[in-house]
Amino acid sequence: MSGQPIEAGPRGTRRAADATTTPASVIAAEVKALVNRGDRDAARDRFGALVAVLQRRGLRIAYHYLRDAADADEAVQDAFIKVFLHIEQYREDLSFDVWFTRILVNACLDRIKSRNRHQRWLASPRESSQAERFHDERPVEQAAGHEPSTEHQMLMRERWGQVLAAVATLPDRQRLVFTLSHLDERTAAEISDATGMSPATVRVHLFRAIRKVRALLGDQG
């Protein structure tokens, strides 16, 4: 889960400095230093500040993936636990924000896989028939209203699941750039500063990621 190498030369040096001066990166370096000194109690106390800085952003990203507030909250908690347990692996010359995003995305993907397995094994023919009867008996007025119909909501969830399944197949850099761009709403310049990749490289990875996702969705549709 280590970050990408910073480019060599003055421009790469500037990016490394920018990446490590984010509030989260500064606090993470302090937590790592406390852990390395063996002062885990102080590290836990300082880690609370790191959670405060990243929790809102983490919840936004997780909710985009999971579309469920409870699942998003659990995924963020899982990510923070993994971060604290493996804080010694954090490279202080790189952006902690990006390192955390990678861990969080993996936590979301794990939760999606677990949820899909759970739904697949627990779904029964009786439940399926009840769901079908519910849709057949739904009043016509509900479909004609302003609220999305049940069928429409199901189709949207299914489509979003297909998008996430496609994103999960992307190579690491493409998945990271796609997530930072489309879910964290970062610009190419911001992703460049955070990851050390040049803006041109960021755009190439994003273009390839979007093309692969569209191709996979086209195959499924």
Side-chain angles (χ1 to χ4, degrees), residues 55-56 58-78 104 108 111 115 157:
Q55 189 168 29
R56 188 171 182 178
L59 286 171
R60 184 178 70 249
I61 294 174
Y63 185 79
H64 273 296
Y65 267 89
L66 300 169
R67 295 296 176 177
D68 182 275
D71 280 352
D73 185 64
E74 290 183 13
V76 171
Q77 290 184 42
D78 289 345
L104 177 59
C108 290
R111 188 156 293 276
R115 185 168 61 187
R157 286 197 295 268

Side-chain angles (χ1 to χ4, degrees), residues 20-92:
T20 56
T21 54
T22 66
S25 296
V26 172
I27 299 172
E30 295 172 0
V31 174
K32 178 180 177 180
L34 290 168
V35 169
N36 287 338
R37 290 205 301 265
D39 195 350
R40 298 191 74 87
D41 289 337
R44 289 190 190 94
D45 291 340
R46 190 63 181 133
F47 192 75
L50 189 61
V51 172
V53 168
L54 289 175
Q55 189 168 29
R56 188 171 182 178
R57 171 176 170 261
L59 286 171
R60 184 178 70 249
I61 294 174
Y63 185 79
H64 273 296
Y65 267 89
L66 300 169
R67 295 296 176 177
D68 182 275
D71 280 352
D73 185 64
E74 290 183 13
V76 171
Q77 290 184 42
D78 289 345
F80 279 127
I81 291 172
K82 290 178 182 177
V83 165
F84 186 77
L85 292 177
H86 302 285
I87 192 66
E88 299 97 328
Q89 299 177 17
Y90 166 55
R91 287 178 51 187
E92 297 172 50

Side-chain angles (χ1 to χ4, degrees), residues 162-214:
Q162 292 172 351
V163 172
L164 294 180
V167 172
T169 67
L170 297 174
D172 183 63
R173 283 194 176 190
Q174 290 181 19
R175 186 169 67 246
L176 177 63
V177 168
F178 185 94
T179 299
L180 292 173
S181 175
H182 287 275
L183 302 186
D184 203 23
E185 300 178 351
R186 300 292 185 98
T187 66
E190 289 172 334
I191 297 172
S192 173
D193 287 338
T195 62
M197 291 183 275
S198 70
T201 301
V202 169
R203 286 190 287 270
V204 168
H205 282 309
L206 183 59
F207 171 78
R208 291 176 178 172
I210 293 173
R211 184 175 61 182
K212 288 182 180 180
V213 168
R214 285 177 175 170

